[in-house]
Each structure stands twice: as structure tokens, then as C-alpha cells.
Amino acid sequence: MNNSKYIVRFLCSFFYIFGGYIKKVSICDNKVVGEILFDDDEFETQAFIWHFSDLFYIRESILFLDYSLDNNLINGDKFIFSKADLIKRIEKLSLWDKKEVPNIINYICNLNIKMVDEEGEETDSFFIHF
């Protein structure tokens, strides 16, 4: 599996939730550094860094995030249903193995992609929650 391709594709889906688009990205040594552009009146940018260790659910997470957005299961950085309700709804679709749905959700909700300020310091985080 070409991890770089999936990492960038995942980040596109992830940051789209926040109204952002990848402007630049660099992947090296289990770390992704980049910048996103927000589609607002001011075209703000935000630097980010993601220290990753596990990419096992990255492909499924791309599909899950895209499905969640397309079907209004997420609003901003928050799923609109409880974790239990979301799992039940997703399991009914048979798009993913029922045993894997909680793992995919946990993978997404345990992500911690840090914002980086102008001085290069890691500050706040991008994350998704219930």
C-alpha cells in the first residue's frame, strides 16, 4: 500500500470537515507537516503537524468520513449522533464489517492533528468527537 497516497487523501477528507483544503503537505518519518487553506472570505491558512504511528484504518476512515459528510452524520467537528447510535446506523448499511465499525470510529476520534503557530509551536488540535 502506498501510504503517502492514502495519508494525503485522508487529510483531504478530514480537513474538509473543517472547511479546509490541503495547500501543501510533506510526509517524512511518521510525521505529516503541511498547511491548509480555509474557504472563507479571507482565505486563511493554518499550518498543521500530525505525528502518526498507526495507519491500519486509514483507507476505511477515508470512506467513513466521506460517507459521514455526504449523509449529514457530522456537523463541524462533531458527530450528530451518540457513538452507539452512529454504530447502529452504520452497521445497518453493510458497507463495513460490523466488527470494524467501532474500530474505525475510534481511530477517527482518537486522531490529534496539531495546529502550528507562526513561531512553529504546536498549539491547539483538530479533532472529531461526539
mmCIF file of all heavy atoms in Angstrom, residues 72-102:
data_model
loop_
_atom_site.group_PDB
_atom_site.id
_atom_site.type_symbol
_atom_site.label_atom_id
_atom_site.label_comp_id
_atom_site.label_asym_id
_atom_site.label_seq_id
_atom_site.Cartn_x
_atom_site.Cartn_y
_atom_site.Cartn_z
ATOM 1 N N ASN A 72 -24.757 13.764 6.156
ATOM 2 C CA ASN A 72 -25.038 14.666 7.279
ATOM 3 C C ASN A 72 -24.996 13.976 8.639
ATOM 4 O O ASN A 72 -25.842 14.216 9.502
ATOM 5 C CB ASN A 72 -26.391 15.360 7.084
ATOM 6 C CG ASN A 72 -26.420 16.166 5.815
ATOM 7 O OD1 ASN A 72 -25.503 16.923 5.537
ATOM 8 N ND2 ASN A 72 -27.469 15.990 5.035
ATOM 9 N N LEU A 73 -24.003 13.115 8.825
ATOM 10 C CA LEU A 73 -23.814 12.449 10.111
ATOM 11 C C LEU A 73 -22.857 13.226 11.005
ATOM 12 O O LEU A 73 -22.663 12.871 12.164
ATOM 13 C CB LEU A 73 -23.276 11.026 9.911
ATOM 14 C CG LEU A 73 -24.130 10.097 9.056
ATOM 15 C CD1 LEU A 73 -23.452 8.745 8.911
ATOM 16 C CD2 LEU A 73 -25.522 9.940 9.648
ATOM 17 N N ILE A 74 -22.263 14.258 10.433
ATOM 18 C CA ILE A 74 -21.287 15.055 11.156
ATOM 19 C C ILE A 74 -21.567 16.525 10.876
ATOM 20 O O ILE A 74 -21.951 16.895 9.775
ATOM 21 C CB ILE A 74 -19.853 14.648 10.742
ATOM 22 C CG1 ILE A 74 -18.821 15.196 11.699
ATOM 23 C CG2 ILE A 74 -19.545 15.021 9.318
ATOM 24 C CD1 ILE A 74 -17.471 14.533 11.558
ATOM 25 N N ASN A 75 -21.400 17.342 11.909
ATOM 26 C CA ASN A 75 -21.604 18.777 11.766
ATOM 27 C C ASN A 75 -20.420 19.467 12.433
ATOM 28 O O ASN A 75 -20.248 19.362 13.646
ATOM 29 C CB ASN A 75 -22.924 19.193 12.408
ATOM 30 C CG ASN A 75 -23.212 20.655 12.211
ATOM 31 O OD1 ASN A 75 -22.599 21.319 11.377
ATOM 32 N ND2 ASN A 75 -24.151 21.181 12.982
ATOM 33 N N GLY A 76 -19.637 20.160 11.645
ATOM 34 C CA GLY A 76 -18.417 20.754 12.183
ATOM 35 C C GLY A 76 -17.470 19.648 12.601
ATOM 36 O O GLY A 76 -17.200 18.741 11.830
ATOM 37 N N ASP A 77 -17.034 19.691 13.847
ATOM 38 C CA ASP A 77 -16.103 18.679 14.328
ATOM 39 C C ASP A 77 -16.792 17.631 15.193
ATOM 40 O O ASP A 77 -16.163 16.928 15.963
ATOM 41 C CB ASP A 77 -14.966 19.328 15.119
ATOM 42 C CG ASP A 77 -15.453 20.048 16.364
ATOM 43 O OD1 ASP A 77 -16.689 20.150 16.561
ATOM 44 O OD2 ASP A 77 -14.607 20.498 17.145
ATOM 45 N N LYS A 78 -18.111 17.499 15.053
ATOM 46 C CA LYS A 78 -18.866 16.633 15.946
ATOM 47 C C LYS A 78 -19.845 15.737 15.190
ATOM 48 O O LYS A 78 -20.588 16.211 14.319
ATOM 49 C CB LYS A 78 -19.636 17.512 16.941
ATOM 50 C CG LYS A 78 -20.318 16.766 18.029
ATOM 51 C CD LYS A 78 -20.922 17.728 19.028
ATOM 52 C CE LYS A 78 -21.578 16.939 20.130
ATOM 53 N NZ LYS A 78 -22.135 17.793 21.162
ATOM 54 N N PHE A 79 -19.824 14.441 15.530
ATOM 55 C CA PHE A 79 -20.849 13.544 15.010
ATOM 56 C C PHE A 79 -22.167 13.931 15.648
ATOM 57 O O PHE A 79 -22.221 14.265 16.834
ATOM 58 C CB PHE A 79 -20.519 12.081 15.335
ATOM 59 C CG PHE A 79 -19.418 11.513 14.494
ATOM 60 C CD1 PHE A 79 -18.166 11.281 15.035
ATOM 61 C CD2 PHE A 79 -19.628 11.229 13.154
ATOM 62 C CE1 PHE A 79 -17.144 10.762 14.257
ATOM 63 C CE2 PHE A 79 -18.616 10.712 12.372
ATOM 64 C CZ PHE A 79 -17.364 10.475 12.914
ATOM 65 N N ILE A 80 -23.258 13.902 14.884
ATOM 66 C CA ILE A 80 -24.537 14.386 15.400
ATOM 67 C C ILE A 80 -25.304 13.324 16.186
ATOM 68 O O ILE A 80 -26.307 13.640 16.808
ATOM 69 C CB ILE A 80 -25.424 14.985 14.289
ATOM 70 C CG1 ILE A 80 -25.771 13.936 13.241
ATOM 71 C CG2 ILE A 80 -24.748 16.179 13.652
ATOM 72 C CD1 ILE A 80 -26.833 14.405 12.268
ATOM 73 N N PHE A 81 -24.825 12.088 16.151
ATOM 74 C CA PHE A 81 -25.450 11.012 16.915
ATOM 75 C C PHE A 81 -24.490 10.561 18.006
ATOM 76 O O PHE A 81 -23.291 10.779 17.908
ATOM 77 C CB PHE A 81 -25.777 9.816 15.998
ATOM 78 C CG PHE A 81 -26.739 10.142 14.907
ATOM 79 C CD1 PHE A 81 -26.289 10.371 13.619
ATOM 80 C CD2 PHE A 81 -28.099 10.230 15.165
ATOM 81 C CE1 PHE A 81 -27.179 10.683 12.603
ATOM 82 C CE2 PHE A 81 -28.988 10.543 14.147
ATOM 83 C CZ PHE A 81 -28.526 10.772 12.867
ATOM 84 N N SER A 82 -25.020 9.900 19.007
ATOM 85 C CA SER A 82 -24.143 9.301 20.010
ATOM 86 C C SER A 82 -23.320 8.211 19.323
ATOM 87 O O SER A 82 -23.669 7.742 18.238
ATOM 88 C CB SER A 82 -24.960 8.697 21.149
ATOM 89 O OG SER A 82 -25.648 7.536 20.693
ATOM 90 N N LYS A 83 -22.270 7.803 19.967
ATOM 91 C CA LYS A 83 -21.430 6.761 19.389
ATOM 92 C C LYS A 83 -22.235 5.487 19.148
ATOM 93 O O LYS A 83 -22.147 4.884 18.073
ATOM 94 C CB LYS A 83 -20.243 6.476 20.312
ATOM 95 C CG LYS A 83 -19.258 5.505 19.745
ATOM 96 C CD LYS A 83 -18.050 5.374 20.657
ATOM 97 C CE LYS A 83 -17.041 4.423 20.092
ATOM 98 N NZ LYS A 83 -15.855 4.318 20.950
ATOM 99 N N ALA A 84 -23.045 5.085 20.110
ATOM 100 C CA ALA A 84 -23.852 3.865 19.970
ATOM 101 C C ALA A 84 -24.834 3.980 18.807
ATOM 102 O O ALA A 84 -24.990 3.041 18.012
ATOM 103 C CB ALA A 84 -24.586 3.578 21.273
ATOM 104 N N ASP A 85 -25.507 5.126 18.681
ATOM 105 C CA ASP A 85 -26.458 5.325 17.581
ATOM 106 C C ASP A 85 -25.755 5.352 16.232
ATOM 107 O O ASP A 85 -26.261 4.799 15.248
ATOM 108 C CB ASP A 85 -27.251 6.621 17.768
ATOM 109 C CG ASP A 85 -28.304 6.518 18.850
ATOM 110 O OD1 ASP A 85 -28.640 5.387 19.250
ATOM 111 O OD2 ASP A 85 -28.779 7.578 19.306
ATOM 112 N N LEU A 86 -24.606 5.993 16.180
ATOM 113 C CA LEU A 86 -23.855 6.043 14.931
ATOM 114 C C LEU A 86 -23.428 4.639 14.510
ATOM 115 O O LEU A 86 -23.574 4.273 13.342
ATOM 116 C CB LEU A 86 -22.632 6.952 15.069
ATOM 117 C CG LEU A 86 -21.790 7.125 13.818
ATOM 118 C CD1 LEU A 86 -22.602 7.764 12.691
ATOM 119 C CD2 LEU A 86 -20.557 7.968 14.126
ATOM 120 N N ILE A 87 -22.948 3.857 15.448
ATOM 121 C CA ILE A 87 -22.541 2.480 15.137
ATOM 122 C C ILE A 87 -23.729 1.689 14.605
ATOM 123 O O ILE A 87 -23.617 1.000 13.591
ATOM 124 C CB ILE A 87 -21.912 1.803 16.371
ATOM 125 C CG1 ILE A 87 -20.541 2.428 16.659
ATOM 126 C CG2 ILE A 87 -21.790 0.291 16.168
ATOM 127 C CD1 ILE A 87 -19.920 2.005 17.967
ATOM 128 N N LYS A 88 -24.883 1.795 15.249
ATOM 129 C CA LYS A 88 -26.081 1.076 14.790
ATOM 130 C C LYS A 88 -26.457 1.486 13.373
ATOM 131 O O LYS A 88 -26.769 0.649 12.524
ATOM 132 C CB LYS A 88 -27.261 1.345 15.727
ATOM 133 C CG LYS A 88 -27.194 0.625 17.026
ATOM 134 C CD LYS A 88 -28.416 0.976 17.863
ATOM 135 C CE LYS A 88 -28.224 0.565 19.293
ATOM 136 N NZ LYS A 88 -29.313 1.020 20.161
ATOM 137 N N ARG A 89 -26.454 2.792 13.096
ATOM 138 C CA ARG A 89 -26.818 3.291 11.762
ATOM 139 C C ARG A 89 -25.852 2.768 10.697
ATOM 140 O O ARG A 89 -26.269 2.353 9.624
ATOM 141 C CB ARG A 89 -26.812 4.815 11.738
ATOM 142 C CG ARG A 89 -27.947 5.450 12.468
ATOM 143 C CD ARG A 89 -27.782 6.970 12.527
ATOM 144 N NE ARG A 89 -28.930 7.582 13.124
ATOM 145 C CZ ARG A 89 -30.034 7.928 12.450
ATOM 146 N NH1 ARG A 89 -30.108 7.737 11.169
ATOM 147 N NH2 ARG A 89 -31.045 8.470 13.082
ATOM 148 N N ILE A 90 -24.581 2.806 10.997
ATOM 149 C CA ILE A 90 -23.568 2.389 10.030
ATOM 150 C C ILE A 90 -23.610 0.878 9.816
ATOM 151 O O ILE A 90 -23.481 0.402 8.692
ATOM 152 C CB ILE A 90 -22.161 2.856 10.483
ATOM 153 C CG1 ILE A 90 -22.078 4.381 10.511
ATOM 154 C CG2 ILE A 90 -21.074 2.267 9.593
ATOM 155 C CD1 ILE A 90 -22.281 5.071 9.185
ATOM 156 N N GLU A 91 -23.801 0.128 10.879
ATOM 157 C CA GLU A 91 -23.845 -1.336 10.748
ATOM 158 C C GLU A 91 -24.994 -1.785 9.858
ATOM 159 O O GLU A 91 -24.881 -2.774 9.139
ATOM 160 C CB GLU A 91 -23.954 -1.985 12.126
ATOM 161 C CG GLU A 91 -22.658 -1.955 12.902
ATOM 162 C CD GLU A 91 -22.771 -2.532 14.296
ATOM 163 O OE1 GLU A 91 -23.912 -2.682 14.810
ATOM 164 O OE2 GLU A 91 -21.718 -2.838 14.884
ATOM 165 N N LYS A 92 -26.116 -1.074 9.872
ATOM 166 C CA LYS A 92 -27.272 -1.426 9.032
ATOM 167 C C LYS A 92 -26.947 -1.316 7.544
ATOM 168 O O LYS A 92 -27.582 -1.955 6.718
ATOM 169 C CB LYS A 92 -28.456 -0.522 9.354
ATOM 170 C CG LYS A 92 -29.113 -0.808 10.671
ATOM 171 C CD LYS A 92 -30.271 0.139 10.892
ATOM 172 C CE LYS A 92 -30.853 -0.045 12.263
ATOM 173 N NZ LYS A 92 -31.937 0.913 12.543
ATOM 174 N N LEU A 93 -25.980 -0.500 7.196
ATOM 175 C CA LEU A 93 -25.655 -0.247 5.793
ATOM 176 C C LEU A 93 -24.863 -1.378 5.153
ATOM 177 O O LEU A 93 -24.829 -1.492 3.934
ATOM 178 C CB LEU A 93 -24.853 1.050 5.659
ATOM 179 C CG LEU A 93 -25.536 2.295 6.159
ATOM 180 C CD1 LEU A 93 -24.561 3.458 6.156
ATOM 181 C CD2 LEU A 93 -26.748 2.605 5.299
ATOM 182 N N SER A 94 -24.200 -2.167 5.953
ATOM 183 C CA SER A 94 -23.348 -3.263 5.476
ATOM 184 C C SER A 94 -22.229 -2.778 4.553
ATOM 185 O O SER A 94 -21.802 -3.493 3.648
ATOM 186 C CB SER A 94 -24.185 -4.336 4.764
ATOM 187 O OG SER A 94 -25.149 -4.865 5.634
ATOM 188 N N LEU A 95 -21.771 -1.548 4.759
ATOM 189 C CA LEU A 95 -20.654 -1.030 3.976
ATOM 190 C C LEU A 95 -19.321 -1.479 4.559
ATOM 191 O O LEU A 95 -18.317 -1.550 3.863
ATOM 192 C CB LEU A 95 -20.699 0.499 3.928
ATOM 193 C CG LEU A 95 -21.907 1.114 3.247
ATOM 194 C CD1 LEU A 95 -21.906 2.625 3.424
ATOM 195 C CD2 LEU A 95 -21.913 0.749 1.776
ATOM 196 N N TRP A 96 -19.312 -1.735 5.855
ATOM 197 C CA TRP A 96 -18.115 -2.160 6.559
ATOM 198 C C TRP A 96 -18.443 -3.389 7.379
ATOM 199 O O TRP A 96 -19.594 -3.593 7.775
ATOM 200 C CB TRP A 96 -17.626 -1.056 7.499
ATOM 201 C CG TRP A 96 -17.106 0.138 6.796
ATOM 202 C CD1 TRP A 96 -15.840 0.328 6.321
ATOM 203 C CD2 TRP A 96 -17.815 1.326 6.454
ATOM 204 N NE1 TRP A 96 -15.732 1.552 5.719
ATOM 205 C CE2 TRP A 96 -16.938 2.190 5.787
ATOM 206 C CE3 TRP A 96 -19.125 1.758 6.648
ATOM 207 C CZ2 TRP A 96 -17.301 3.435 5.320
ATOM 208 C CZ3 TRP A 96 -19.497 2.994 6.179
ATOM 209 C CH2 TRP A 96 -18.597 3.825 5.525
ATOM 210 N N ASP A 97 -17.457 -4.180 7.672
ATOM 211 C CA ASP A 97 -17.603 -5.320 8.569
ATOM 212 C C ASP A 97 -18.077 -4.782 9.924
ATOM 213 O O ASP A 97 -17.496 -3.840 10.464
ATOM 214 C CB ASP A 97 -16.244 -6.021 8.710
ATOM 215 C CG ASP A 97 -16.297 -7.241 9.594
ATOM 216 O OD1 ASP A 97 -17.131 -7.294 10.527
ATOM 217 O OD2 ASP A 97 -15.489 -8.152 9.365
ATOM 218 N N LYS A 98 -19.139 -5.371 10.462
ATOM 219 C CA LYS A 98 -19.727 -4.875 11.715
ATOM 220 C C LYS A 98 -18.711 -4.799 12.841
ATOM 221 O O LYS A 98 -18.779 -3.907 13.678
ATOM 222 C CB LYS A 98 -20.901 -5.752 12.135
ATOM 223 C CG LYS A 98 -22.127 -5.558 11.294
ATOM 224 C CD LYS A 98 -23.280 -6.382 11.805
ATOM 225 C CE LYS A 98 -24.484 -6.144 10.916
ATOM 226 N NZ LYS A 98 -25.700 -6.683 11.473
ATOM 227 N N LYS A 99 -17.773 -5.722 12.881
ATOM 228 C CA LYS A 99 -16.772 -5.721 13.948
ATOM 229 C C LYS A 99 -15.798 -4.553 13.794
ATOM 230 O O LYS A 99 -15.184 -4.123 14.765
ATOM 231 C CB LYS A 99 -15.979 -7.033 13.950
ATOM 232 C CG LYS A 99 -16.820 -8.251 14.309
ATOM 233 C CD LYS A 99 -15.980 -9.501 14.294
ATOM 234 C CE LYS A 99 -15.665 -9.825 12.848
ATOM 235 N NZ LYS A 99 -15.058 -11.111 12.605
ATOM 236 N N GLU A 100 -15.660 -4.039 12.577
ATOM 237 C CA GLU A 100 -14.685 -2.979 12.325
ATOM 238 C C GLU A 100 -15.235 -1.566 12.527
ATOM 239 O O GLU A 100 -14.471 -0.628 12.715
ATOM 240 C CB GLU A 100 -14.128 -3.106 10.907
ATOM 241 C CG GLU A 100 -13.316 -4.363 10.677
ATOM 242 C CD GLU A 100 -12.116 -4.460 11.609
ATOM 243 O OE1 GLU A 100 -11.437 -3.439 11.836
ATOM 244 O OE2 GLU A 100 -11.867 -5.551 12.141
ATOM 245 N N VAL A 101 -16.542 -1.403 12.486
ATOM 246 C CA VAL A 101 -17.137 -0.064 12.598
ATOM 247 C C VAL A 101 -16.688 0.658 13.871
ATOM 248 O O VAL A 101 -16.225 1.801 13.794
ATOM 249 C CB VAL A 101 -18.677 -0.118 12.472
ATOM 250 C CG1 VAL A 101 -19.302 1.233 12.791
ATOM 251 C CG2 VAL A 101 -19.077 -0.573 11.072
ATOM 252 N N PRO A 102 -16.772 0.037 15.055
ATOM 253 C CA PRO A 102 -16.290 0.749 16.258
ATOM 254 C C PRO A 102 -14.802 1.092 16.180
ATOM 255 O O PRO A 102 -14.381 2.149 16.656
ATOM 256 C CB PRO A 102 -16.564 -0.238 17.399
ATOM 257 C CG PRO A 102 -17.616 -1.149 16.881
ATOM 258 C CD PRO A 102 -17.376 -1.244 15.407
#
